[in-house]
Amino acid sequence: MVDSTPDTAAHPRFADALRELGLDVEVRRFPDATRTAAEAAAAIGCELSQIVKSLVFAADGQPVVVLMDGASRVDVELVRQELGAGSVRRADAALVRETTGYAIGGVPPFGHRTRTRVLADRRLLDHETVWAAAGNPHTVFPLAPKALITHAEGTLVDVRERSA
């Protein structure tokens, strides 16, 4: 079951961001959480790699958001090199909420509480449409990857973990 009530399904902060950007997207609400990429892909009926994970890291203590396809993992060393940072680690739940205004599992690619550097893995461009969280673990929205990265003010990078 899908409730595709536009805007109202999204987190209020994210709905405001959509309006400010002039974006008219279909926000879909699911009764079961879509907190993980696998849950979201199953609920939507799309490929795992079409899900956008918005992951927060701390690079030398400064938050950075990495947008990664749902089928891949972030190579923290590549993020460190990209940023020229001394150290990079996954952010804890408190830093994620403080930086973005959202809880882990519902972080959208833009519309964050604070302006944060965004890195977007190039592999997102492999799809015509990708799906990202709309501010809570029950909502997602579709967008062309180039538009998503543009609205997130993301820098295209290659930070996907390579298989051995």
Side-chain angles (χ1 to χ4, degrees):
M1 280 203 237
V2 176
D3 170 16
S4 58
T5 310
D7 278 15
T8 56
H11 183 286
R13 174 179 289 109
F14 187 66
D16 288 346
L18 289 173
R19 278 190 291 282
E20 287 171 19
L21 293 168
L23 282 176
D24 183 20
V25 298
E26 176 192 7
V27 175
R28 292 190 187 177
R29 173 178 283 284
F30 294 93
D32 297 320
T34 53
R35 188 178 305 272
T36 68
E39 289 170 345
I44 295 162
C46 70
E47 293 177 34
L48 185 57
S49 59
Q50 286 180 269
I51 301 299
V52 178
K53 298 186 288 191
S54 300
L55 305 169
V56 182
F57 291 83
D60 293 339
Q62 295 300 308
V64 62
V65 175
V66 177
L67 305 179
M68 178 61 65
D69 78 84
S72 300
R73 295 174 51 97
V74 174
D75 185 321
V76 177
E77 176 59 20
L78 292 176
V79 172
R80 188 192 70 70
Q81 291 172 16
E82 185 67 41
L83 298 172
S87 70
V88 173
R89 62 173 177 75
R90 284 293 289 265
D92 62 21
L95 181 59
V96 171
R97 189 176 286 279
E98 177 187 323
T99 301
T100 67
Y102 307 98
I104 292 172
V107 177
F110 50 84
H112 303 151
R113 175 181 286 152
T114 57
R115 188 158 167 72
T116 306
R117 185 161 183 193
V118 176
L119 302 178
D121 191 76
R122 191 173 308 282
R123 199 142 169 233
L124 293 171
L125 298 176
D126 291 352
H127 301 283
E128 191 174 305
T129 301
V130 292
W131 294 81
N136 68 61
H138 292 274
T139 59
V140 294
F141 71 99
L143 203 59
K146 282 185 181 175
L148 183 133
I149 293 164
T150 297
H151 290 301
E153 297 181 20
T155 302
L156 268 181
V157 294
D158 291 304
V159 293
R160 180 175 52 90
E161 193 175 84
R162 305 291 193 263
S163 305

